Amino acid sequence: MGQYVTEIKRGGAVAVDDTIQVKGCETRAGSRILEGFRPLFSAEAVERLERAGYGIAGKSAVGEFGLDLLGEFAHGGANLDASGALRGAAAELVAAGGVKGALCVDLNGTPRRAAALSGVDFLKPTYGTVSRYGVIPCACSGEQIGVTAKAAGEVWELLRVIAGHDPKDGTSLPTETYSYNDGKAVAGMRVGLVRELSAAASDAVQARVTDCAGRLRGLGATVDEISLPLSDAARTAWNLLLCAETCNNVSRYDGVKFGYRSPDYRNIDELYVNSRTEGLNFLTKAVILYGSDVLSKGRYFTCYDKALKVRRLVWEQVKALFKDYDALLCPACAETAYRPYDIKDAFKTVFAESLFTAIPNLTGLPAMVSGGVQFFADTLQEGTLLNLAEALEGGSAK
Amino acid sequence: MRYEAVIGLETHVELATQSKIFCSCGGHSTKGEPNTRVCPACAGMPGMLPVTNRRVVELAMRAGILLHCDISRYTTFDKKSYYYPDLPCAYQITQWFHPVCRNGSLEVTTKDGTRTIGIKQIHMEEDAGKLVHDDWTETTLVDFNRTSVPLIEIVSKPDFRTADEVMAYLEKLKTMFRFANISECEEGAMRCDVNISIRPEGTEELGVRTEIKNMSSLSSIRRAIQYETARHLDAVERGTETLVQETRRWDDVKGRTFSMRNKETAADYRYFPDPNLMPILIGEDWIQRVRDTMPASVEEKTAEYQSKGLSEKEIASLTSERSLCDLFDAVTALGREPKDAASWILTECGGLLRKHGQVMGELQIAPGKLSRIMEKVSGNEINRAAGRKVLEAVLYEDAEPDAYCEAHNLSAQGDTDAVRQVVLKVLDSTPNAVRDYLGGKKKAFQALFGGCMKELKGNGDPQVIRALLEEELSKRS
Ligand SMILES: [Zn+2]
């Protein structure tokens, strides 16, 4: 965790992912290219926490731009050790009890996956409810700040502090159009278990999902197996959009104004090329190449534009399910533990795992991980997700 | 065989907004020391998000209405990616898929008659920064004052046939945009890319097209068109070279165009919709509001001023600048007579501006101050010459009319006619001193001067008194 502590007036200490800016505190987003970058301003979510009396404990570790599985490819040290334990990531800090909670950017499911592996909660709220002002941008159309905490009650407490309209973010929902409601009670709740996602996970994870379904039935909910045929297409579409938008957003890191600059250049072209060659890791470069390709002249309509159409179809398919179900249940990742692996395999590995996490990023719907499983809910139904988590934890969230 | 030129224009116009297009920094790229009009957003710092300045959309709609365009009901901003040191994010926010206006036209008149030029579209975009090359230290510096200054780009159809038509079109755009407060169209605030090809007269098929990028002075544009047309003709008729579709650069000193390196032009800009900027939905009511608040056109103002009894010449002068019409309207709204207002603005203010080496467009005066000066003159508080003096002080020393008159005794006492009366009275009442002075005793002048000062209770302007004394004494010698 970075050396940064603000005064705690009341509330407690909260960690902030290194993809979220804290004024004056080095923010590298896990990348060499941002070495030494000290932001001129804090993220809106950080400001809201500080105003509410919470202290910022420091930066929690992320992989380069949060593009990897669990932070295993952070510059200057992996966050995943040989035994499969997370090191320095928000979920680990929360699990260890060092902080009350953490703010994490959910770009491609990383904080959900980490929460499932560490046995803590993570809620990615509805897109537009928490300002993205101050987030190191990658895929602006679907990335969202969420809350990692030990229990649903703490998630709820922190979420209410950071959520709300922000005029500095053009996609922030106008305050008058939303308020988090109490959500559905678990007794009588209708839950759909997503067949395609559950079937794609390991036996151990499937057993966890089945066990959760059983417990929910015991609490008075009905659980039916349902089908979401576009799950696979949703993953492809989200990864395509993510690569395209990330390629565009990280193109500003050129070694000219801030961050890492290669010492080895004779002209502006070499300054750009060498700084980026040395400053970005293999996974980011793969994302840039892929994103650059799908945006190129010949490919825009067959790739990028098609992904936008898939986004709408997935949205319609999921919204249709929410006519009959209050929440969807599925795994957050395929395995119960991960080991370090070669960065050359990272693009493929992340793509494979994002099957479980892509839908909420693609559609903007809220998602929550608790007890090692994942729930999706309809727009602004965070209350329902928290009720589920709270019931499974046996506590009281609100 | 006779050939004709086929010319299309892309005209970039800087909009006259108080702030930039996606942040709250001040607009007007030409003002301010380098890098003083810049914030984290327009400097491209990560974490900042663009928020659309609605005024930009309204001015683009205003331009669309003037050019008879269809205003889009759904318009979006897109990102255009390329690397250049003056582009802090390495992408420019522009409109590629759904521009704000389409399908317009503008009539242009030259000595050969009037023709209609089609407008393909108008779109909004942000400007890039400026690179300043310092030959002395052999470095290149970046000035971000201009980044994110709002522009509209007006894309014409390839409907021009001559450089004269292009000139007439640009002059007309300039006048219309200035008059409608869309742009101040200052030097450099209007830049053009020109597309040129030639074809045998009477045929439809287009020849090889070249584009000359980024010219801002009218004379360069004219010369570049003439040069490039001649180059195409030579190539086609005499086979001097093989034309290729390419982007060229105009060198004003050498008086010719040059091919730009392929590297700079063969870019794939990888356009895609900017997810941070929601599509803008333009409803009928918004369009109507923009129509309703549109400043009157030159034609409307002319008719209005005719009804107020102004002469053709006065009307032509006032309507040459929107700011003059605004001043005239404000002064008459304060109760001043229209003829009188026109005369004060055009004759008195105009005369002073000329004296100070300025042009009418640079006139800046609070309507209330001008009105007050006119009121004092028409109410005989001061004469017209004194009024002119006050006006000069108001224009160049930012004086307050009443305070200035008081401080300089330009009230009844300060007025030269009143001072003259005092001078005559003193001369008549002290004949001995007058005789001594005329007899060569120059010291007697001090006594006469003191007498006048005493009479004016010390409020007189010494220079005025001295001048009038000398004048009146010389009449008596
Ligand atoms: Zn700015």
Side-chain angles (χ1 to χ4, degrees), chain B residues 20 23-25 37-43:
Chain B
K20 291 185 175 182
C23 65
S24 53
C25 290
R37 291 175 162 246
V38 64
C39 72
C42 54

Side-chain angles (χ1 to χ4, degrees), chain A residues 193-203 205-210 225-226 231 329-334 355-356:
Chain A
L193 195 163
V194 186
R195 185 186 305 135
E196 289 84 352
L197 298 184
S198 188
S202 64
D203 291 347
V205 172
Q206 283 193 39
R208 222 185 243 177
V209 172
T210 312
E225 204 170 86
I226 53 109
S231 302
L329 166 63
C330 61
C333 46
L355 174 69
F356 306 99

Side-chain angles (χ1 to χ4, degrees), chain B residues 244-270:
Chain B
V244 286
Q245 183 166 333
E246 62 177 352
T247 304
R248 299 177 72 86
R249 172 177 67 80
W250 170 250
D251 186 318
D252 211 41
V253 179
K254 296 199 173 76
R256 51 168 296 200
T257 62
F258 288 91
S259 180
M260 282 167 75
R261 283 181 300 145
N262 210 33
K263 199 176 150 200
E264 288 172 5
T265 59
D268 181 344
Y269 292 121
R270 304 196 303 273

Side-chain angles (χ1 to χ4, degrees), chain B residues 11-17 19-22 28-29 53 55-57 59-60 63 77 82 92-95 100 122-129 146-154 177 182-183 188-191 214:
Chain B
T11 313
H12 304 255
V13 178
E14 183 180 318
L15 299 178
T17 50
S19 51
K20 291 185 175 182
I21 183 165
F22 300 120
H28 305 291
S29 66
N53 176 352
R55 186 72 187 151
V56 172
V57 185
L59 291 184
F77 282 108
Y82 64 94
Q92 176 197 27
I93 302 178
T94 178
Q95 296 197 282
V100 63
I122 301 176
H123 61 257
M124 305 175 273
E125 62 186 24
E126 57 177 346
D127 209 342
R146 210 176 64 183
T147 51
S148 274
V149 162
L151 302 176
I152 49 173
E153 180 175 336
I154 302 137
F177 286 174
I182 290 170
S183 171
M190 203 172 190
R191 305 194 294 271
N214 203 18

Side-chain angles (χ1 to χ4, degrees), chain B residues 19-84:
Chain B
S19 51
K20 291 185 175 182
I21 183 165
F22 300 120
C23 65
S24 53
C25 290
H28 305 291
S29 66
T30 51
K31 291 169 194 161
E33 292 293 306
N35 294 314
T36 53
R37 291 175 162 246
V38 64
C39 72
C42 54
M45 303 304 279
M48 292 298 294
L49 298 164
V51 179
T52 310
N53 176 352
R54 279 175 73 90
R55 186 72 187 151
V56 172
V57 185
E58 290 181 352
L59 291 184
M61 286 160 74
R62 201 179 259 193
I65 292 167
L66 283 174
L67 297 177
H68 316 291
C69 291
D70 301 329
I71 311 289
S72 306
R73 297 301 188 269
Y74 175 92
T75 184
T76 58
F77 282 108
D78 308 299
K79 291 180 167 192
K80 172 183 181 177
S81 300
Y82 64 94
Y83 279 97
Y84 205 62

